[in-house]
Amino acid sequence: MGNAGFKLRKKEYPLYIGLRCLWNRCCVESYASVMSRFSWGACCESFNEDAVRIGFMRALVVGCGNIGSVAASDLAASASSLDIVVADKDPIRAKAVAEKIGKANVSWSQIDARNHADLINRLKEFNVVLGFLPGNLGYRLAEACIEAKKDLVDVSFMGENPLSLHDMAVESGITIVPDCGLAPGISNVLVGHAVSALDKVQSVRVMVGGLPETPVPPLGYVITWSPESLIDEYIRKARIIVGGRLADVEALTGLEEVDFPEVGKLEAFYTDGLRTLLHTVKGVEEMWEKTLRYPGHADKVGVLRSLGFFEDKPINVQGVSISPRMVTVKLFSNKLAQPEVRDIVALRVVVSGFKKNKPVHYTYDLLDFYDKGSEVTAMARTTAYPASLVAQLMLKKVEFEKGVVPPEKLGMNNDLFSMLLDGLRKHGIEIKETID
């Protein structure tokens, strides 16, 4: 079927896609397992224009947590001709995600990203990779994609600077889009678009937060993502630009009150979320990110931090060595993870500068809500869909620069900016732009 010169008539294309999907899935799962789920009718009926544009392609979603699973589901819905494998270190989790999605073009596999040689070998089977791994594995995945020569869309908050891989990615002929979630992610895209419209940029201010619809005691907050990443946000120093210079400030400081439409009064404090913007947006006097929470949250979390609840160093409790941080992670998971509580996401980006010697302010507001129909949180929607949309554009052969291309660079391209905002809009994620 892959011989040169083989040509399909349009009416034969769905059958061809079905055979290819079946063959590739058999490479991952047992024949019996695949045949029990595969539907020829669904495959043939789902022929559409997206299938024509994407053709037969394979995508690998690495990491099957709350965000990766939503991205995989969105990818599967985008085109029936796209063959998707969801992978995780935990095979039970990967299988559960594939079965929940329940589409013929989705299968599962076990992949341990810590096994570098095996990871590279596995990546070679795919056209594009989507990464939703913990931060300590994100950089490894990017390195593996470079060696395997595979495009990558990544969401992990890696500790390393992804831009350090730019030259190697260019040499490999691939595109890596890091930090492609909410913030960093959508926020960077908006910043990039505003920056490209100005002659001189004076300040960049980003405020973002995932919140319950109404405050939930004791912290006015519920967890919709990793509790370990949440703690990192509260203890990691924030890198900001003040007076044109890079400065490190303590998280939870810079507290201010913010009035957000349809939500009410919130508080905002410094967190470390600028990431690649520190390297790509030059000459600004002021640039920072702040996290949004309901009033009083920062003080309460500050008390926990001061008492040592976030410290890694083990303490001795009745002869047992225990890490306070690990105890707090467990408590946060038990007490603050309340899936029955619906969440919202609030994002505000303000970019100020000059155009033709006149001051101009670009303000973007995003407010998203829990999706009752699909039972997907606002945090998952606004983090997973951007990554899925960028991957879909890659699969449709939309032209991207080679190398490490941070989201703000996508925002600086008017065509990509329009396509991304249109994709978000189709998912019900609206962004209001105000220029004054």
Side-chain angles (χ1 to χ4, degrees):
M1 294 176 67
N3 292 338
F6 180 82
K7 189 172 182 179
L8 289 166
R9 292 188 296 272
K10 186 173 181 179
K11 66 180 182 180
E12 296 171 331
Y13 195 84
L15 180 59
Y16 171 66
I17 292 302
L19 289 169
R20 289 295 298 269
C21 286
L22 179 59
W23 170 256
N24 280 278
R25 215 160 348 275
C26 284
C27 294
V28 179
E29 299 180 77
S30 70
Y31 177 83
S33 172
V34 173
M35 289 303 293
S36 68
R37 296 188 288 107
F38 198 84
S39 168
W40 291 106
C43 179
C44 294
E45 290 171 4
S46 59
F47 176 76
N48 54 37
E49 291 304 316
D50 274 344
V52 172
R53 286 198 298 274
I54 290 180
F56 182 80
M57 305 285 273
R58 302 197 77 208
L60 175 67
V61 177
V62 187
C64 294
N66 293 337
I67 309 301
S69 59
V70 173
S73 180
D74 188 60
L75 268 181
S78 70
S80 60
S81 60
L82 176 60
D83 192 34
I84 301 161
V85 175
V86 294
D88 199 277
K89 181 178 68 173
D90 181 353
I92 296 175
R93 177 189 289 179
K95 182 181 179 183
V97 167
E99 290 178 347
K100 182 179 179 181
I101 294 172
K103 289 185 178 292
N105 61 330
V106 180
S107 58
W108 65 273
S109 182
Q110 181 183 19
I111 290 180
D112 188 346
R114 295 170 298 182
N115 186 333
H116 193 67
D118 180 63
L119 179 60
I120 294 170
N121 190 50
R122 302 286 291 280
L123 295 179
K124 291 177 181 178
E125 304 170 17
F126 300 90
N127 301 97
V128 68
V129 180
L130 290 83
F132 300 91
L133 293 170
N136 64 327
L137 295 175
Y139 196 80
R140 292 186 187 183
L141 177 61
E143 289 178 315
C145 284
I146 289 172
E147 293 191 50
K149 300 184 186 301
K150 300 299 175 181
D151 292 334
L152 169 67
V153 182
D154 193 71
V155 171
S156 68
F157 201 99
M158 61 185 76
E160 302 87 348
N161 181 2
L163 294 175
S164 65
L165 296 172
H166 177 73
D167 290 343
M168 287 185 285
V170 170
E171 186 177 345
S172 185
I174 68 166
T175 299
I176 295 176
V177 181
D179 296 334
C180 195
L182 167 61
I186 294 176
S187 59
N188 299 52
V189 171
L190 299 175
V191 169
H193 186 66
V195 165
S196 67
L198 293 169
D199 297 327
K200 178 176 173 55
V201 183
Q202 192 170 30
S203 65
V204 174
R205 302 168 183 173
V206 178
M207 290 179 281
V208 61
L211 305 158
E213 286 185 343
T214 57
V216 176
L219 299 180
Y221 184 73
V222 295
I223 285 181
T224 54
W225 56 310
S226 162
E228 291 195 53
S229 297
L230 177 67
I231 290 173
D232 286 339
E233 185 174 84
Y234 294 146
I235 63 175
R236 184 173 48 237
K237 285 191 175 183
R239 294 164 296 169
I240 66 173
I241 302 294
V242 181
R245 295 177 178 274
L246 179 65
D248 289 343
V249 297
E250 293 291 337
L252 303 175
T253 61
L255 197 64
E256 65 173 294
E257 189 177 87
V258 178
D259 190 16
F260 207 98
E262 298 184 54
V263 180
K265 293 198 180 300
L266 300 172
E267 65 181 21
F269 49 83
Y270 290 131
T271 45
D272 187 43
L274 292 177
R275 307 281 287 164
T276 54
L277 290 173
L278 291 168
H279 305 277
T280 57
V281 180
K282 304 291 187 180
V284 293
E285 285 296 306
E286 178 186 38
M287 183 160 60
W288 45 254
E289 182 202 84
K290 291 187 177 183
T291 289
L292 294 170
R293 294 286 186 263
Y294 288 113
H297 180 86
D299 285 342
K300 293 174 182 177
V301 171
V303 170
L304 293 176
R305 187 177 68 178
S306 298
L307 291 173
F309 280 82
F310 301 155
E311 293 179 5
D312 279 313
K313 186 178 179 180
I315 58 175
N316 189 289
V317 180
Q318 296 182 346
V320 179
S321 182
I322 301 175
S323 162
R325 177 190 172 103
M326 288 298 99
V327 172
T328 305
V329 165
K330 188 65 175 177
L331 289 172
F332 275 10
S333 298
N334 290 344
K335 302 295 184 181
L336 300 184
Q338 301 180 36
E340 72 280 3
V341 176
R342 294 171 181 170
D343 73 321
I344 61 174
V345 162
L347 169 67
R348 175 171 294 165
V349 174
V350 182
V351 180
S352 301
F354 295 90
K355 189 172 182 66
K356 296 181 180 179
N357 295 320
K358 293 183 179 180
V360 181
H361 306 279
Y362 283 82
T363 301
Y364 301 94
D365 278 348
L366 179 159
L367 182 62
D368 196 54
F369 298 87
Y370 175 87
D371 187 333
K372 302 173 188 176
S374 61
E375 298 182 337
V376 177
T377 65
M379 180 59 72
R381 284 167 48 79
T382 53
T383 306
Y385 293 157
S388 172
L389 288 168
V390 170
Q392 289 174 48
L393 293 177
M394 287 180 171
L395 290 163
K396 292 173 185 176
K397 300 302 182 182
V398 172
E399 189 174 348
F400 284 78
E401 293 179 38
K402 299 303 180 185
V404 177
V405 183
E408 57 268 28
K409 293 290 186 181
L410 307 184
M412 293 175 184
N413 181 308
N414 287 331
D415 291 336
L416 288 174
F417 180 78
S418 296
M419 285 186 278
L420 288 173
L421 259 63
D422 182 60
L424 291 173
R425 196 175 299 115
K426 287 177 180 176
H427 283 85
I429 300 173
E430 297 285 346
I431 298 171
K432 178 184 177 184
E433 179 186 60
T434 305
I435 306 173
D436 53 28

